[in-house]
Amino acid sequence: MDFPAWQLWLLAAVLAGALEIALPGFVMLWFSVGALVAGLGAALGLGVNVQLTLFILVSVALFTASRTLFKQALMRTATQMKTGVEAMVGQEAVVTESLVEGQGGTVRINGELWSARSLGGPVIEGERVVVEQVEGLKLWVRRPVASLEISPKKQKEG
């Protein structure tokens, strides 16, 4: 049994549409639309090469346009997620081995021990520090501003 080309393109469009429903993501819809356009070309009597060209051009154009539009419309306010070492900057760590000036020590951050150096003088064990920068496998830390000791003001005698 010999099927006309437009029927085959229609079958491809239905299968791509069914896959769009079954699979996560938003990709197969554009191949379905491309198959419908190619089927229209087949119904108009265009050659196989023109049908394939229509299918590819329409599918790729819609896929590219949708990715661009969705990214601009839906991801406009999304912030870039920091991962790995760059996510440590600004986080608090606990000193597990005193940070002595010139020698450094050890801090615990996210359950891991890291070598550290202090940017603000010696820091004793158990104190909290903030990671300022990461250099290789060494963290440069500083006491948080809120934890700095503030000497009480002397009261004026009246």
Side-chain angles (χ1 to χ4, degrees):
M1 184 180 246
D2 194 22
F3 292 105
W6 70 268
Q7 288 179 348
L8 293 175
W9 283 114
L10 183 61
L11 178 63
V14 169
L15 287 174
L19 282 173
E20 176 64 39
I21 293 169
L23 298 174
F26 198 62
V27 177
M28 295 305 293
L29 175 67
W30 308 129
F31 295 110
S32 180
V33 173
L36 286 174
V37 171
L40 181 63
L44 294 174
L46 300 176
V48 174
N49 289 339
V50 176
Q51 294 171 32
L52 287 173
T53 303
L54 281 172
F55 171 72
I56 292 170
L57 288 176
V58 169
S59 298
V60 169
L62 289 173
F63 178 77
T64 305
S66 71
R67 298 301 271 189
T68 304
L69 290 173
F70 287 148
K71 191 171 184 180
Q72 288 175 355
L74 301 177
M75 303 299 286
R76 166 181 29 195
T77 58
T79 58
Q80 184 68 24
M81 180 188 274
K82 293 182 181 179
T83 59
V85 175
E86 70 180 15
M88 283 192 221
V89 176
Q91 285 191 354
E92 273 195 357
V94 177
V95 177
T96 57
E97 182 185 318
S98 295
L99 302 177
V100 181
E101 208 156 329
Q103 293 179 348
T106 307
V107 297
R108 180 177 304 276
I109 183 169
N110 298 331
E112 298 177 343
L113 294 175
W114 284 76
S115 294
R117 300 260 180 178
S118 174
L119 291 170
V123 182
I124 61 171
E125 185 176 332
E127 200 169 338
R128 293 193 177 278
V129 291
V130 175
V131 178
E132 293 289 325
Q133 70 184 59
V134 180
E135 189 176 285
L137 294 175
K138 190 169 299 202
L139 304 178
W140 290 88
V141 298
R142 181 183 316 268
R143 284 186 184 97
V145 177
S147 72
L148 292 177
E149 289 184 26
I150 300 172
S151 57
K153 293 182 181 180
K154 293 183 182 178
Q155 293 182 348
K156 291 185 182 179
E157 292 182 20

